[in-house]
Amino acid sequence: MAEAQKDLLDGNPLVLDSQEKELIRRIGVTVNYPKGQIIFSAEEVADRVYLIEKGWVRIYRLSSDGREVTVGSIRNPGEMMGLAETLYHGKRTCFAGTISDVTLVVVTKKDFLDVLTDEHYLALKVTRLLAARMREAEAMVHELVCWQVPSRLALLLLKISERCGIPDEKGRMKIKLRLTHEDIAGMIGTTRQTVTSLLNAFKREKLVECQGREIKILDPKKLASWIVD
Amino acid sequence: MAEAQKDLLDGNPLVLDSQEKELIRRIGVTVNYPKGQIIFSAEEVADRVYLIEKGWVRIYRLSSDGREVTVGSIRNPGEMMGLAETLYHGKRTCFAGTISDVTLVVVTKKDFLDVLTDEHYLALKVTRLLAARMREAEAMVHELVCWQVPSRLALLLLKISERCGIPDEKGRMKIKLRLTHEDIAGMIGTTRQTVTSLLNAFKREKLVECQGREIKILDPKKLASWIVD
DNA sequence: GCGCTATTGTCGTCTGCCCGACATTGTGGC
DNA sequence: GCCACAATGTCGGGCAGACGACAATAGCGC
């Protein structure tokens, strides 16, 4: 609650506001990607940044046995991506893949740096954005170290529903991302089987409901009570 | 000049160069902390940033059972700290504690933001610094999810020796931080006992050598071969 | 609708590592 | 130098969750 209020005051640091987006659009090129496409891959030169206009993108790494580990989070419309690796010189260390049809604005590194220099308030925004993501990443490390899998899954569901969920008639959040259990496993550092059985346990307790691959949060409070440190 | 440009483009993004440090010193106050002191705590208002002049600082969170989980890494002389939480509005989520005698330059949030606005190249530096740390945090997540404890310990030793190590006559790196096994456990998400026995296994294989609480890396190559994904 | 592949469901087995317990050694403070 | 407490060494039991295997569905292209 306090969090949401602060966001209202200072602006959500994760998403750009409309004039910031306009700035990016002016120096970039709009591109469409269908669902299931890879936008960039590890080892590529990180010479461009992206603004997500529409759709969702997953940032992940590949482990040696081929598992996809979502190290960042899912990037929403209005967010930028590819920032850290582009600002830090060098190559990409992760992959970006679309989990829905996506529209992006692509900006070259040079143009982006130029606009950061000219519009110093945008530079500050980018810095704050990285700071916010930094915190998230640190929280993730803490959770992986200290929490059991059920807690991590419960938190993930709550976080995703908050960020990408759409409320139904009764105000209950529905996650329309159509993630597979394997996807979810990669986001909380566990296996597909464990996600399946935990999700079924949550269903049995009427905390969530699944229609096809869409997940609806029925009882966020009780779900949150699964989070134990 | 060419020297300054090189630093901006290719220099270690984690540490400030001498003119950047001078800039910070001019707007800050120098303070000394003895070893084992807490510099800031979770829940405090994040209204200042720090430049480490001398010594090492550990950034950690507290788990509910009292364990200290090092979520960032150890901060070296020349690095800044307290950035992310200060730039992002709000409170600290972690603790900063000295692991040696430390000299810091303390800068208020306001003064820091002013200097970022005036000296836009410093703003870019800070952004790149956060980007670099972001990458590190993502790598940490990946490692926690995919790697076994021995791999994580091996990598930690190599990373620390590279960053804070001092070479002996034969060029072998010595870690003088005097970390306890408990400290190390908190950095790689495991328990004290596991660290003890693994470290002994490494000793038996002549990969490392311990004198008191100082660790010397005898065979970095062979140690690296313990890192299996 | 049909068929094929991707996804989900469910079950043992297995194991890395946590956790408690305790002895031993080290070390900083006086 | 001595003492008290902190840190290390070592062991066994226990368990969360990985892993493999396979059946049952679902989803999607045609």
Side-chain angles (χ1 to χ4, degrees):
Chain A
M1 283 315 154
E3 197 70 22
Q5 258 184 7
K6 279 246 175 86
D7 279 349
L8 225 59
L9 286 173
D10 293 341
N12 181 344
L14 293 175
V15 302
L16 302 192
D17 65 31
S18 38
Q19 26 171 335
E20 290 160 348
K21 282 195 267 195
E22 198 43 54
L23 223 53
I24 299 294
R25 281 187 201 111
R26 254 203 296 271
I27 56 168
V29 179
T30 299
V31 184
N32 290 302
Y33 284 88
K35 175 182 173 172
Q37 196 88 359
I38 289 179
I39 298 166
F40 60 73
S41 305
E43 304 301 323
E44 286 179 15
V45 175
D47 57 355
R48 54 201 66 186
V49 299
Y50 304 83
L51 165 65
I52 302 172
E53 294 274 26
K54 192 175 70 77
W56 285 273
V57 179
R58 194 164 57 91
I59 308 292
Y60 60 93
R61 293 187 180 212
L62 230 43
S63 76
S64 62
D65 57 346
R67 270 167 61 222
E68 296 180 354
V69 184
T70 303
V71 288
S73 47
I74 287 177
R75 299 280 141 89
N76 293 299
E79 291 192 52
M80 298 205 63
M81 57 177 231
L83 282 174
E85 299 180 314
T86 303
L87 290 166
Y88 186 89
H89 50 64
K91 298 188 172 175
R92 304 262 179 223
T93 53
C94 53
F95 296 77
T98 59
I99 50 181
S100 67
D101 289 353
V102 164
T103 306
L104 296 171
V105 180
V106 186
V107 178
T108 66
K109 176 175 181 172
K110 188 191 166 304
D111 291 345
F112 185 61
L113 287 176
D114 284 349
V115 79
L116 283 191
T117 309
D118 290 348
E119 311 278 347
H120 75 262
Y121 83 98
L122 187 67
L124 188 56
K125 174 82 170 205
V126 168
T127 308
R128 288 182 60 227
L129 187 155
L130 286 171
R133 290 214 184 127
M134 195 59 225
R135 261 197 173 193
E136 249 181 35
E138 286 182 351
M140 182 77 197
V141 169
H142 183 188
E143 286 150 25
L144 283 170
V145 169
C146 296
W147 296 8
Q148 312 258 91
V149 177
S151 296
R152 306 208 297 265
L153 179 58
L155 180 64
L156 179 79
L157 292 174
L158 291 170
K159 269 205 303 205
I160 295 193
S161 72
E162 203 176 290
R163 280 210 198 146
C164 344
I166 299 165
D168 72 356
E169 334 77 49
K170 288 183 186 149
R172 291 178 305 201
M173 297 306 259
K174 194 173 190 178
I175 300 165
K176 293 203 179 237
L177 295 180
R178 302 179 53 71
L179 300 164
T180 67
H181 295 180
E182 186 121 40
D183 292 335
I184 296 173
M187 293 188 215
I188 57 175
T190 183
T191 57
R192 193 226 95 218
Q193 292 96 316
T194 304
V195 171
T196 300
S197 66
L198 278 174
L199 226 37
N200 285 331
F202 287 167
K203 273 188 237 170
R204 250 176 273 126
E205 298 215 14
K206 303 255 176 267
L207 307 178
V208 302
E209 191 179 272
C210 297
Q211 296 147 38
R213 210 161 290 150
E214 295 175 0
I215 302 172
K216 189 187 282 184
I217 311 293
L218 299 179
D219 193 340
K221 240 185 185 131
K222 231 166 148 192
L223 190 57
S225 75
W226 272 80
I227 301 174
V228 280
D229 189 353
Chain B
M1 160 57 241
E3 188 57 33
Q5 246 178 19
K6 183 181 179 303
D7 271 342
L8 188 59
L9 293 172
D10 302 318
N12 181 348
L14 294 173
V15 302
L16 302 192
D17 65 31
S18 37
Q19 24 171 335
E20 290 160 348
K21 283 195 268 195
E22 198 44 53
L23 222 53
I24 299 294
R25 279 185 203 115
R26 252 200 301 266
I27 58 169
V29 179
T30 299
V31 186
N32 290 303
Y33 284 88
K35 175 181 173 172
Q37 196 89 359
I38 289 179
I39 299 166
F40 59 74
S41 304
E43 303 301 323
E44 287 179 13
V45 175
D47 58 355
R48 54 200 67 186
V49 299
Y50 304 84
L51 164 65
I52 302 172
E53 294 274 26
K54 191 174 74 75
W56 285 273
V57 178
R58 195 163 57 90
I59 308 293
Y60 60 92
R61 292 187 179 212
L62 230 42
S63 76
S64 62
D65 58 346
R67 268 167 62 221
E68 297 180 353
V69 184
T70 303
V71 288
S73 48
I74 288 177
R75 299 279 141 88
N76 294 299
E79 291 192 50
M80 298 205 64
M81 58 176 229
L83 282 174
E85 300 181 312
T86 304
L87 291 166
Y88 188 87
H89 49 64
K91 297 187 173 174
R92 305 262 178 224
T93 52
C94 53
F95 297 77
T98 59
I99 49 181
S100 67
D101 289 353
V102 164
T103 306
L104 295 171
V105 180
V106 186
V107 178
T108 66
K109 178 175 180 171
K110 189 192 164 301
D111 291 344
F112 185 61
L113 287 176
D114 285 349
V115 78
L116 283 192
T117 308
D118 291 348
E119 312 279 346
H120 74 263
Y121 83 98
L122 187 66
L124 188 57
K125 175 83 171 206
V126 167
T127 308
R128 289 182 60 228
L129 187 155
L130 286 171
R133 291 214 185 126
M134 195 58 224
R135 261 198 173 191
E136 249 180 34
E138 286 183 350
M140 183 78 197
V141 169
H142 182 190
E143 285 150 26
L144 283 170
V145 168
C146 296
W147 296 7
Q148 312 257 89
V149 176
S151 297
R152 307 209 294 265
L153 179 58
L155 181 64
L156 179 79
L157 292 174
L158 290 169
K159 268 205 302 208
I160 295 192
S161 73
E162 203 177 290
R163 278 207 201 151
C164 342
I166 299 165
D168 71 356
E169 335 77 51
K170 288 185 185 146
R172 291 178 303 202
M173 298 305 259
K174 194 173 190 177
I175 300 165
K176 294 201 178 240
L177 296 180
R178 303 179 53 70
L179 301 164
T180 68
H181 294 180
E182 188 121 38
D183 292 335
I184 296 173
M187 294 189 213
I188 57 174
T190 183
T191 56
R192 193 227 94 218
Q193 294 95 316
T194 304
V195 170
T196 300
S197 66
L198 277 175
L199 226 37
N200 285 331
F202 288 166
K203 273 187 239 171
R204 251 175 273 125
E205 297 215 15
K206 303 254 176 268
L207 307 178
V208 302
E209 191 179 272
C210 297
Q211 297 145 39
R213 211 162 288 149
E214 297 176 359
I215 302 171
K216 188 186 284 184
I217 310 293
L218 298 180
D219 193 339
K221 241 185 183 131
K222 230 165 149 193
L223 190 57
S225 75
W226 271 80
I227 302 173
V228 279
D229 188 353

